[in-house]
Amino acid sequence: MADTSTIDVERLTIFEAEAELKRLAAEIAAHDRAYHEQDAPTVSDAAYDRLRLRNERIEKRFPSLVQADSPSRRVGAAPASGFAKHSHRAPMLSLGNAFEEEDVEAFATSIRTFLERDFAVANPPPLTMVAEPKIDGLSISLTYENGRFTRGATRGDGSVGEDVTANLMTLPDTELPRRLADAPELLEVRGEIYMTRTDFLALNDQLQAAGEKPLANPRNGAAGALRQLDPDVTRRRPLRLFAYALGHSSSPIADTQWGILQRLAAWGFPATGLARRCDDVADLLTQYRRIGDARADLPYEIDGVVYKVDRLDWQERLGFVARSPRWAIAHKFPAEQARTRLRAITIQVGRTGALTPVAELEPIGVGGVLVQRATLHNEDEIARKDIRVGDLVIVQRAGDVIPQIVASLPEHRPEGTEPFAFPTHCPVCGSAATRDADEAVRRCSGGLVCSAQTVERLKHMVSRDAFDIDGLGQQSIEAFFADGLLKTPADLYRLTPADLTGREGWAELSIRNLMAAIDARRELPLDRFLFGLGIRRIGEANAKLLARHYGDWDSLVSAMTAAADPASPARQELVAINRIGPNIAADLVAFFIEPHNQAVLAALVAAVRVLPVAAPVAAASAITGKTVVFTGELTAMGRREAKARAEALGAKVAGSVSAKTDIVIVGSDAGSKAVKARELGLTIWDESQWLQVAQAGS
Ligand code: IVH
């Protein structure tokens, strides 16, 4: 089907709508993963919100097309591993968005309509709301038991988050009170963890001094610090807190949101001081402008104003729809923009050979941050926007992502500019740079001969979430590579103090520390090791899946070699692993059968002990020991994958329904088996119920 992404919602045919919903679901899921699992957003909040809005509008027009796994039914991403899981007593949801004043009007009107009885009287009470800044950080839930702080957890998927108590304990008592006087027995305080702009800039200076990549914005700084597995690292990255709501409370502490804010402040939780009570929409909009005016001078980042119905009894009656409360909305600020001159377009070559164009700009302040570089995404984007070197361009910083070029201003274009000719060869190694028909990215075909790819792989290997070699920054890797000290991964383990003595920036102590850091990584768990190899599409999550499936290095390697033949049982097994599709499988196999890679790996495993990963304790799942039957079409995973997953969870998968069947999992267009299951009175699950079980513990 042709591109459906540009068709007006009102004009979509049902077939186009179906295709478009599918496309949106995939795109939103990819952005969710980038944001929640990699702390590396790939689009601005505004662009993301637009995708969700489009999804919602199409679903509203075609309710029959709503899928069980629609983005409108999901919040965020499942918790990453490494931290214990924490179940929230009250779910942590997100907020709907308003962009225009009319959206705020509509919000207030819909509330009045919903609270019909209260507003149909002769003297309706004012619809009082609290307007508060929307802090651009990470939401947090703080549990207090008998007034004592016992647990802090991230949002995760809204019901289960990560237990980050140890990291939160690095906040001083003045920021996060440890004891609350006269508190309910059990209380969840909700708020936002953030990093100030100043602390963020200092952190980036430190990272850059260590030769590491700077972070895009304070929120990423806060996310990184909060999710450190080592609280000592968090301690060096100062986090702060604002509290603005409650989750579960065993007894009420106030009747209004305003009352809650006051109680939180009295307990010693930090507050912005910018919250106000408003009696009508005009007042809300005044507060929106007031907070917007204060924005640039605040020591922290905000991205909008949240309006919340003040009366808690009304909040309760209004309730929730899908993933957000009906009683609150986030009125977003427009992204910050500025104009500047495009000096040059440079091309970066990434670890997997992707050529990324980068705009080199005349430095300009955008919303309080100095911007000198911006992403141009890919060659189509440059052509579509006709961006030329020398142009005056509009730069946008959306608070949360690396700055972007929105447009060029051709009316200010100097004479003699040319459309940008995207290189067809790698600027580093000169190999042809090619593009697959279905991809926007051009890639260097040089593979292992391309020094840019090799260096990027080495940087990736030593990075925090991979081999985690402390004290070896990106610039050092480049320098060591250039001098021939570090050419392949195994060279890292052959470095000696003598190699470094006399090098600039390497005093005795830093040499000793680096040697100790390397020694500390002569043993590595399989998943980290695998992630560190930098294989295309093998991020942390996939590395974990593979490690858990194959258990140890030798089994993994022999399985990958055996999977070289696409028809082999080993390949079938690989593809059947939940979330490993045919493309990932092909990338993996290609990596492992490449002779040069085999040599590099042999040398590396001679130097490092790869620790096996314990097979997951066959977690008792709702289907363990049960006989299940799948029928109808499943949308989220193929039948083979579903079967493998069910079996991995200890179920027996049967082909036909009988009295011995325990559970029948019914996809769309299910036929006689579903009918029979109903006749027999068997337990029937729809796909979303199945997915919950399938995805738990994976
Ligand atoms: S109230 C039921 N108040 O925005 C929702 N949230 O997009 C309760 N946020 O997950 C949230 N400042 O992390 C609320 N003053 C504020 C906020 C705020 C920032 C975040 C929060 C939430 C997200 C929703």
Side-chain angles (χ1 to χ4, degrees):
M1 185 169 301
D3 181 10
T4 49
S5 67
T6 51
I7 308 177
D8 244 24
V9 172
E10 297 311 315
R11 293 186 38 232
L12 286 169
T13 65
I14 189 159
F15 301 108
E16 287 166 342
E18 189 174 17
E20 181 61 0
L21 284 177
K22 216 168 172 180
R23 188 191 72 78
L24 285 166
E27 190 173 346
I28 292 170
H31 293 320
D32 281 345
R33 279 193 300 278
Y35 180 112
H36 292 280
E37 289 165 21
Q38 289 133 26
D39 295 329
T42 39
V43 286
S44 69
D45 277 359
Y48 176 83
D49 291 339
R50 272 195 301 276
L51 292 175
R52 275 199 177 268
L53 193 65
R54 184 168 167 83
N55 186 74
E56 263 168 48
R57 289 179 50 217
I58 300 176
E59 290 186 340
K60 209 162 168 188
R61 232 193 110 202
F62 300 102
S64 65
L65 296 181
V66 180
Q67 296 293 316
D69 63 340
S70 156
S72 59
R73 300 196 179 182
R74 274 186 284 122
V75 180
S81 43
F83 291 95
K85 292 185 177 174
H86 174 87
S87 298
H88 304 301
R89 298 221 166 218
M92 291 182 80
L93 297 164
S94 71
L95 292 169
N97 289 320
F99 299 98
E100 311 292 338
E101 301 194 346
E102 295 85 85
D103 302 339
V104 182
E105 293 278 1
F107 166 68
T109 309
S110 77
I111 291 177
R112 271 192 220 99
T113 316
F114 202 93
L115 299 174
E116 204 176 1
R117 265 175 294 144
D118 299 77
F119 285 92
V121 294
N123 270 322
L127 175 54
T128 305
M129 300 212 213
V130 179
E132 309 168 13
K134 183 170 188 297
I135 317 299
D136 199 5
L138 299 117
S139 40
I140 196 86
S141 181
L142 308 166
T143 303
Y144 288 82
E145 290 170 63
N146 297 313
R148 205 186 255 277
F149 172 61
T150 51
R151 282 258 162 304
T154 61
R155 176 162 79 175
D157 64 3
S159 355
V160 179
E162 293 172 334
D163 182 335
V164 289
T165 315
N167 288 341
L168 289 171
M169 293 301 266
T170 64
L171 276 79
D173 191 59
T174 45
E175 201 71 30
L176 192 169
R178 308 293 197 267
R179 274 176 167 282
L180 311 179
D182 302 322
E185 234 176 87
L186 189 61
L187 178 71
E188 285 177 338
V189 172
R190 299 283 161 83
E192 201 83 353
I193 289 286
Y194 70 97
M195 189 176 269
T196 64
R197 294 184 209 256
T198 322
D199 287 339
F200 167 70
L201 292 176
L203 170 62
N204 259 356
D205 282 348
Q206 271 172 32
L207 288 176
Q208 272 171 308
E212 288 185 41
K213 266 206 196 116
L215 299 166
N217 56 59
R219 191 184 52 209
N220 290 5
L226 188 64
R227 296 172 73 211
Q228 283 297 322
L229 288 171
D230 178 356
D232 282 331
V233 178
T234 307
R235 205 178 304 280
R236 284 181 261 128
R237 302 181 179 190
L239 291 173
R240 286 161 202 262
L241 168 76
F242 282 127
Y244 47 63
L246 297 187
H248 171 83
S249 175
S250 55
S251 56
I253 65 162
D255 299 331
T256 58
Q257 166 66 12
W258 190 250
I260 290 178
L261 290 181
Q262 292 192 317
R263 194 67 195 272
L264 289 171
W267 272 324
F269 288 100
T272 61
L274 292 167
R276 292 287 181 277
R277 256 213 271 215
C278 303
D279 279 338
D280 54 31
V281 170
D283 208 3
L284 290 176
L285 297 176
T286 307
Q287 292 313 320
Y288 176 76
R289 282 186 285 270
R290 188 180 67 95
I291 295 176
D293 289 342
R295 183 180 185 193
D297 298 322
L298 294 175
Y300 47 88
E301 301 223 328
I302 61 175
D303 58 350
V305 177
V306 185
Y307 307 137
K308 302 175 184 172
V309 169
D310 195 31
R311 278 175 55 166
L312 300 185
D313 58 336
W314 283 359
Q315 286 191 4
E316 202 163 317
R317 264 160 55 196
L318 286 156
F320 296 81
V321 28
R323 54 198 273 276
S324 8
R326 259 197 215 95
W327 45 265
I329 199 164
H331 190 180
K332 293 292 197 74
F333 291 132
E336 290 162 301
Q337 298 189 336
R339 293 170 172 207
T340 189
R341 201 55 76 179
L342 176 61
R343 284 178 175 166
I345 296 178
T346 51
I347 304 285
Q348 284 182 346
V349 184
R351 167 164 62 85
T352 57
L355 266 48
T356 308
V358 178
E360 307 287 344
L361 303 165
E362 217 134 284
I364 177 95
V366 192
V369 172
L370 192 71
V371 172
Q372 341 199 18
R373 310 183 91 197
T375 173
L376 284 165
H377 300 292
N378 55 53
E379 62 180 302
D380 291 350
E381 179 97 349
I382 301 177
R384 194 168 57 77
K385 294 183 175 165
D386 186 20
I387 292 172
R388 305 182 183 190
V389 173
D391 274 357
L392 193 64
V393 292
I394 300 178
V395 191
Q396 170 168 302
R397 204 181 67 92
D400 55 334
V401 278
I402 24 182
Q404 295 173 305
I405 304 289
V406 181
S408 73
L409 301 166
E411 61 277 23
H412 296 285
R413 178 168 282 166
E415 286 201 4
T417 63
E418 298 275 342
F420 182 68
F422 202 91
T424 52
H425 287 81
C426 172
V428 176
C429 73
S431 305
T434 55
R435 215 177 132 168
D436 285 350
D438 56 343
E439 274 209 76
V441 179
R442 195 174 276 279
R443 280 176 207 279
C444 162
S445 60
L448 300 157
V449 306
C450 178
S451 60
Q453 291 186 48
T454 310
V455 171
E456 292 307 314
R457 272 181 199 238
L458 288 168
K459 288 181 189 170
H460 169 78
M461 182 179 90
V462 305
S463 68
R464 231 175 5 231
D465 296 322
F467 283 31
D468 189 22
I469 309 284
D470 212 13
L472 189 54
Q474 304 207 353
Q475 279 156 14
S476 307
I477 300 227
E478 282 168 21
F480 291 2
F481 181 82
D483 297 347
L485 269 184
L486 186 52
K487 281 196 153 337
T488 78
D491 292 342
L492 176 69
Y493 291 95
R494 298 192 198 109
L495 282 179
T496 63
D499 291 330
L500 305 181
T501 311
R503 290 186 76 93
E504 202 188 313
W506 289 91
E508 205 188 315
L509 181 64
S510 45
I511 296 178
R512 216 177 321 131
N513 286 346
L514 178 62
M515 291 299 141
I518 295 173
D519 282 340
R521 298 291 181 267
R522 290 190 191 268
E523 284 189 351
L524 281 167
L526 177 58
D527 53 336
R528 267 181 184 264
F529 183 82
L530 188 55
F531 172 59
L533 297 180
I535 305 168
R536 191 169 163 206
R537 291 193 253 236
I538 304 301
E540 270 184 285
N542 284 338
K544 280 206 176 82
L545 282 177
L546 292 163
R548 273 197 254 161
H549 188 87
Y550 294 103
D552 61 71
W553 176 249
D554 289 338
S555 314
L556 176 84
V557 174
S558 47
M560 292 305 117
T561 326
D565 173 2
S568 61
R571 177 70 76 99
Q572 310 275 311
E573 179 183 343
L574 175 59
V575 176
I577 300 175
N578 189 17
R579 290 199 286 247
I580 303 285
N583 293 338
I584 299 180
D587 282 339
L588 265 170
V589 169
F591 180 89
F592 279 96
I593 61 176
E594 214 288 325
H596 182 282
N597 285 344
Q598 289 177 345
V600 164
L601 288 176
L604 187 58
V605 292
V608 186
R609 207 161 85 86
V610 185
L611 304 173
V613 167
V617 237
S621 138
I623 62 167
T624 309
K626 301 269 165 70
T627 301
V628 304
V629 172
F630 288 97
T631 176
E633 197 184 334
L634 299 175
T635 48
M637 55 175 91
R639 182 65 68 82
R640 200 145 37 87
E641 189 184 348
K643 181 168 184 276
R645 183 72 194 135
E647 284 168 353
L649 289 168
K652 181 167 171 251
V653 179
S656 60
V657 173
S658 74
K660 285 196 206 129
T661 312
D662 294 300
I663 302 163
V664 181
I665 296 162
V666 180
S668 55
D669 292 331
S672 60
K673 287 184 198 168
V675 177
K676 187 159 177 203
R678 245 169 259 129
E679 281 169 8
L680 290 170
L682 302 175
T683 304
I684 299 179
W685 286 358
D686 64 14
E687 189 174 355
S688 68
Q689 285 167 295
W690 152 242
L691 285 178
Q692 269 179 17
V693 173
Q695 282 161 4
S698 71

